Structures are given as structure tokens and as C-alpha cells.
Amino acid sequence: MADSSTQSITIDAPPDRVVAVICDFARYPEWTEAVRRAEVVEEYEDGYASQVRFTIDAQVMADEYVLAYEYAEDLSRIEWHLVAPSRMQRAQRGSYDVIGNPDGTSTVTYTLEVELSVGMLGMFRRKAEKMIMDTALKQLKHRVEAPGATR
């Protein structure tokens, strides 16, 4: 598997609001530019998604894949991995760690490792991962902090 990349951001909201947005997969196309479709294909007994099918179009890369999710009991960590290789990815592992801060904000740490099916120099792959993570965290922050945003 490829090396993982990690980035963090502070969001002006408590962890439960952040986690609610992260776990509302069906609404990802409303606030995540690259996601064209997100469909929960399996759920755990508690209603949280166990598998989600994504269709993405990130200009330089379009793909459809299924991710399997696992959650920490207190929802402070949400992890996923690619169920089966897709057209563009051999493997993917990632996680969100959501930690509440004393001032009522949350720190979200996003870790991602992707092994592409197509060859890409390590330097370019790391730059692409950084861009993907930076965009994802900024879009998450915007969605959670938006006044009156549907959650």
C-alpha cells in the first residue's frame, strides 16, 4: 500500500455536528464538488452506513467504487477501505478523527492512502492526495459551518 498522507482542520462546531455531516453520505453531492453520486448500499443495525457506492468526477479522474466503513463506538473515528479494485484504484484506506476542543470547536484529522491502478510518480501522487484532502476538509468545514445548512 502507498504511504499515507494526513491533514487537519479546525471547524467551528461540536464533534456531533461534524460527524452528522460526515455520515450523511447521500448528501455528499450537495457539498463535495467531485462527488456526483453517493448511495448507501448496506447499513449496520444502528442505521450507520457499512458500505457506500461513490461516483466521482474530479476532472483529472473519474471513477466509481464502493467503500466499507467502520466507526468508533463514540464516533470519534470513522474509517474506510475500498471493497474491491475499481477502474482507477487498486486500494484505498482512510479515516476521519474528530476531536472536540475546549472552545467548542472540533479538530478533524483526515488520513488517506490510495494505490492507483495507473502509474503515477510518488511526488505527483502525494501532491494529488494533498489537494484531495485539502479540498475535502475545506468543503466539510464550509458545510458544517454554513448558517442554516441542511444537515
mmCIF file of all heavy atoms in Angstrom, residues 18-40:
data_model
loop_
_atom_site.group_PDB
_atom_site.id
_atom_site.type_symbol
_atom_site.label_atom_id
_atom_site.label_comp_id
_atom_site.label_asym_id
_atom_site.label_seq_id
_atom_site.Cartn_x
_atom_site.Cartn_y
_atom_site.Cartn_z
ATOM 1 N N VAL A 18 -20.189 17.755 13.254
ATOM 2 C CA VAL A 18 -19.222 17.369 12.227
ATOM 3 C C VAL A 18 -19.493 15.933 11.783
ATOM 4 O O VAL A 18 -19.572 15.634 10.593
ATOM 5 C CB VAL A 18 -17.777 17.525 12.746
ATOM 6 C CG1 VAL A 18 -16.772 17.010 11.721
ATOM 7 C CG2 VAL A 18 -17.487 18.981 13.107
ATOM 8 N N VAL A 19 -19.646 15.042 12.740
ATOM 9 C CA VAL A 19 -19.882 13.628 12.444
ATOM 10 C C VAL A 19 -21.201 13.444 11.686
ATOM 11 O O VAL A 19 -21.282 12.634 10.756
ATOM 12 C CB VAL A 19 -19.846 12.782 13.737
ATOM 13 C CG1 VAL A 19 -20.361 11.374 13.492
ATOM 14 C CG2 VAL A 19 -18.426 12.751 14.299
ATOM 15 N N ALA A 20 -22.218 14.220 12.042
ATOM 16 C CA ALA A 20 -23.509 14.114 11.342
ATOM 17 C C ALA A 20 -23.347 14.426 9.862
ATOM 18 O O ALA A 20 -23.930 13.744 9.006
ATOM 19 C CB ALA A 20 -24.534 15.055 11.975
ATOM 20 N N VAL A 21 -22.548 15.425 9.534
ATOM 21 C CA VAL A 21 -22.323 15.769 8.123
ATOM 22 C C VAL A 21 -21.489 14.681 7.442
ATOM 23 O O VAL A 21 -21.812 14.247 6.335
ATOM 24 C CB VAL A 21 -21.660 17.159 7.985
ATOM 25 C CG1 VAL A 21 -21.225 17.422 6.547
ATOM 26 C CG2 VAL A 21 -22.613 18.257 8.452
ATOM 27 N N ILE A 22 -20.433 14.216 8.093
ATOM 28 C CA ILE A 22 -19.588 13.166 7.507
ATOM 29 C C ILE A 22 -20.411 11.913 7.211
ATOM 30 O O ILE A 22 -20.234 11.275 6.177
ATOM 31 C CB ILE A 22 -18.406 12.815 8.438
ATOM 32 C CG1 ILE A 22 -17.413 13.977 8.511
ATOM 33 C CG2 ILE A 22 -17.706 11.535 7.980
ATOM 34 C CD1 ILE A 22 -16.327 13.807 9.579
ATOM 35 N N CYS A 23 -21.316 11.549 8.108
ATOM 36 C CA CYS A 23 -22.072 10.296 7.977
ATOM 37 C C CYS A 23 -23.315 10.407 7.090
ATOM 38 O O CYS A 23 -23.953 9.398 6.814
ATOM 39 C CB CYS A 23 -22.465 9.781 9.359
ATOM 40 S SG CYS A 23 -21.040 9.271 10.344
ATOM 41 N N ASP A 24 -23.643 11.595 6.627
ATOM 42 C CA ASP A 24 -24.803 11.786 5.757
ATOM 43 C C ASP A 24 -24.356 11.661 4.298
ATOM 44 O O ASP A 24 -24.346 12.627 3.533
ATOM 45 C CB ASP A 24 -25.444 13.156 6.026
ATOM 46 C CG ASP A 24 -26.797 13.313 5.368
ATOM 47 O OD1 ASP A 24 -27.253 12.373 4.671
ATOM 48 O OD2 ASP A 24 -27.405 14.384 5.534
ATOM 49 N N PHE A 25 -23.992 10.441 3.922
ATOM 50 C CA PHE A 25 -23.377 10.184 2.622
ATOM 51 C C PHE A 25 -24.254 10.591 1.446
ATOM 52 O O PHE A 25 -23.757 11.101 0.444
ATOM 53 C CB PHE A 25 -22.990 8.707 2.507
ATOM 54 C CG PHE A 25 -21.960 8.299 3.510
ATOM 55 C CD1 PHE A 25 -22.314 7.558 4.634
ATOM 56 C CD2 PHE A 25 -20.640 8.677 3.362
ATOM 57 C CE1 PHE A 25 -21.365 7.185 5.571
ATOM 58 C CE2 PHE A 25 -19.679 8.317 4.295
ATOM 59 C CZ PHE A 25 -20.044 7.569 5.402
ATOM 60 N N ALA A 26 -25.557 10.392 1.541
ATOM 61 C CA ALA A 26 -26.460 10.703 0.434
ATOM 62 C C ALA A 26 -26.385 12.174 0.037
ATOM 63 O O ALA A 26 -26.657 12.529 -1.112
ATOM 64 C CB ALA A 26 -27.890 10.324 0.790
ATOM 65 N N ARG A 27 -25.988 13.035 0.967
ATOM 66 C CA ARG A 27 -25.919 14.476 0.673
ATOM 67 C C ARG A 27 -24.543 14.942 0.201
ATOM 68 O O ARG A 27 -24.375 16.122 -0.088
ATOM 69 C CB ARG A 27 -26.353 15.272 1.892
ATOM 70 C CG ARG A 27 -27.823 15.069 2.159
ATOM 71 C CD ARG A 27 -28.287 15.956 3.248
ATOM 72 N NE ARG A 27 -29.723 15.748 3.400
ATOM 73 C CZ ARG A 27 -30.560 16.715 3.666
ATOM 74 N NH1 ARG A 27 -30.147 17.943 3.806
ATOM 75 N NH2 ARG A 27 -31.839 16.446 3.795
ATOM 76 N N TYR A 28 -23.571 14.055 0.111
ATOM 77 C CA TYR A 28 -22.241 14.460 -0.348
ATOM 78 C C TYR A 28 -22.277 15.226 -1.670
ATOM 79 O O TYR A 28 -21.555 16.206 -1.818
ATOM 80 C CB TYR A 28 -21.311 13.248 -0.462
ATOM 81 C CG TYR A 28 -20.611 12.870 0.821
ATOM 82 C CD1 TYR A 28 -21.239 12.969 2.055
ATOM 83 C CD2 TYR A 28 -19.319 12.383 0.814
ATOM 84 C CE1 TYR A 28 -20.595 12.604 3.238
ATOM 85 C CE2 TYR A 28 -18.659 12.013 1.978
ATOM 86 C CZ TYR A 28 -19.306 12.129 3.178
ATOM 87 O OH TYR A 28 -18.661 11.773 4.338
ATOM 88 N N PRO A 29 -23.091 14.819 -2.656
ATOM 89 C CA PRO A 29 -23.104 15.575 -3.913
ATOM 90 C C PRO A 29 -23.529 17.044 -3.740
ATOM 91 O O PRO A 29 -23.199 17.874 -4.586
ATOM 92 C CB PRO A 29 -24.116 14.817 -4.780
ATOM 93 C CG PRO A 29 -24.100 13.424 -4.237
ATOM 94 C CD PRO A 29 -23.901 13.599 -2.749
ATOM 95 N N GLU A 30 -24.227 17.371 -2.652
ATOM 96 C CA GLU A 30 -24.652 18.752 -2.404
ATOM 97 C C GLU A 30 -23.488 19.656 -2.011
ATOM 98 O O GLU A 30 -23.559 20.863 -2.208
ATOM 99 C CB GLU A 30 -25.698 18.803 -1.275
ATOM 100 C CG GLU A 30 -26.996 18.129 -1.595
ATOM 101 C CD GLU A 30 -27.945 18.125 -0.403
ATOM 102 O OE1 GLU A 30 -27.698 18.828 0.605
ATOM 103 O OE2 GLU A 30 -28.952 17.388 -0.468
ATOM 104 N N TRP A 31 -22.430 19.092 -1.431
ATOM 105 C CA TRP A 31 -21.359 19.940 -0.909
ATOM 106 C C TRP A 31 -19.946 19.503 -1.264
ATOM 107 O O TRP A 31 -18.986 20.212 -0.972
ATOM 108 C CB TRP A 31 -21.480 20.097 0.610
ATOM 109 C CG TRP A 31 -21.416 18.822 1.403
ATOM 110 C CD1 TRP A 31 -22.454 17.996 1.713
ATOM 111 C CD2 TRP A 31 -20.252 18.240 1.997
ATOM 112 N NE1 TRP A 31 -22.009 16.935 2.460
ATOM 113 C CE2 TRP A 31 -20.667 17.068 2.654
ATOM 114 C CE3 TRP A 31 -18.903 18.609 2.048
ATOM 115 C CZ2 TRP A 31 -19.777 16.249 3.343
ATOM 116 C CZ3 TRP A 31 -18.019 17.788 2.741
ATOM 117 C CH2 TRP A 31 -18.463 16.622 3.380
ATOM 118 N N THR A 32 -19.800 18.373 -1.898
ATOM 119 C CA THR A 32 -18.488 17.882 -2.291
ATOM 120 C C THR A 32 -18.392 17.927 -3.811
ATOM 121 O O THR A 32 -19.086 17.181 -4.489
ATOM 122 C CB THR A 32 -18.268 16.437 -1.790
ATOM 123 O OG1 THR A 32 -18.577 16.393 -0.402
ATOM 124 C CG2 THR A 32 -16.857 15.971 -2.009
ATOM 125 N N GLU A 33 -17.566 18.819 -4.324
ATOM 126 C CA GLU A 33 -17.504 19.079 -5.761
ATOM 127 C C GLU A 33 -17.296 17.839 -6.618
ATOM 128 O O GLU A 33 -17.929 17.697 -7.652
ATOM 129 C CB GLU A 33 -16.405 20.098 -6.061
ATOM 130 C CG GLU A 33 -16.721 21.484 -5.566
ATOM 131 C CD GLU A 33 -15.554 22.440 -5.748
ATOM 132 O OE1 GLU A 33 -14.619 22.133 -6.525
ATOM 133 O OE2 GLU A 33 -15.585 23.504 -5.106
ATOM 134 N N ALA A 34 -16.412 16.949 -6.228
ATOM 135 C CA ALA A 34 -16.069 15.808 -7.075
ATOM 136 C C ALA A 34 -17.106 14.689 -7.032
ATOM 137 O O ALA A 34 -17.190 13.882 -7.963
ATOM 138 C CB ALA A 34 -14.710 15.249 -6.689
ATOM 139 N N VAL A 35 -17.923 14.611 -5.979
ATOM 140 C CA VAL A 35 -18.879 13.508 -5.841
ATOM 141 C C VAL A 35 -20.135 13.798 -6.657
ATOM 142 O O VAL A 35 -20.846 14.762 -6.399
ATOM 143 C CB VAL A 35 -19.241 13.251 -4.359
ATOM 144 C CG1 VAL A 35 -20.294 12.152 -4.242
ATOM 145 C CG2 VAL A 35 -17.999 12.877 -3.560
ATOM 146 N N ARG A 36 -20.370 12.953 -7.633
ATOM 147 C CA ARG A 36 -21.570 13.084 -8.462
ATOM 148 C C ARG A 36 -22.744 12.301 -7.868
ATOM 149 O O ARG A 36 -23.890 12.674 -8.021
ATOM 150 C CB ARG A 36 -21.302 12.591 -9.889
ATOM 151 C CG ARG A 36 -20.259 13.391 -10.622
ATOM 152 C CD ARG A 36 -20.741 14.820 -10.863
ATOM 153 N NE ARG A 36 -19.679 15.651 -11.393
ATOM 154 C CZ ARG A 36 -19.110 16.643 -10.719
ATOM 155 N NH1 ARG A 36 -19.475 16.921 -9.499
ATOM 156 N NH2 ARG A 36 -18.160 17.355 -11.263
ATOM 157 N N ARG A 37 -22.395 11.189 -7.187
ATOM 158 C CA ARG A 37 -23.426 10.342 -6.601
ATOM 159 C C ARG A 37 -22.833 9.582 -5.423
ATOM 160 O O ARG A 37 -21.693 9.123 -5.484
ATOM 161 C CB ARG A 37 -23.912 9.359 -7.659
ATOM 162 C CG ARG A 37 -25.283 8.839 -7.385
ATOM 163 C CD ARG A 37 -25.855 8.094 -8.570
ATOM 164 N NE ARG A 37 -26.539 6.953 -7.991
ATOM 165 C CZ ARG A 37 -26.520 5.748 -8.472
ATOM 166 N NH1 ARG A 37 -25.907 5.481 -9.581
ATOM 167 N NH2 ARG A 37 -27.149 4.788 -7.858
ATOM 168 N N ALA A 38 -23.617 9.436 -4.358
ATOM 169 C CA ALA A 38 -23.222 8.625 -3.204
ATOM 170 C C ALA A 38 -24.468 7.867 -2.760
ATOM 171 O O ALA A 38 -25.496 8.472 -2.481
ATOM 172 C CB ALA A 38 -22.688 9.501 -2.083
ATOM 173 N N GLU A 39 -24.349 6.564 -2.724
ATOM 174 C CA GLU A 39 -25.500 5.712 -2.412
ATOM 175 C C GLU A 39 -25.110 4.703 -1.335
ATOM 176 O O GLU A 39 -24.160 3.931 -1.506
ATOM 177 C CB GLU A 39 -25.932 4.975 -3.685
ATOM 178 C CG GLU A 39 -26.977 3.929 -3.475
ATOM 179 C CD GLU A 39 -27.151 3.022 -4.697
ATOM 180 O OE1 GLU A 39 -26.382 3.115 -5.667
ATOM 181 O OE2 GLU A 39 -28.078 2.199 -4.648
ATOM 182 N N VAL A 40 -25.839 4.734 -0.234
ATOM 183 C CA VAL A 40 -25.617 3.746 0.819
ATOM 184 C C VAL A 40 -26.167 2.417 0.315
ATOM 185 O O VAL A 40 -27.343 2.307 -0.005
ATOM 186 C CB VAL A 40 -26.309 4.166 2.137
ATOM 187 C CG1 VAL A 40 -26.173 3.065 3.184
ATOM 188 C CG2 VAL A 40 -25.741 5.486 2.645
#
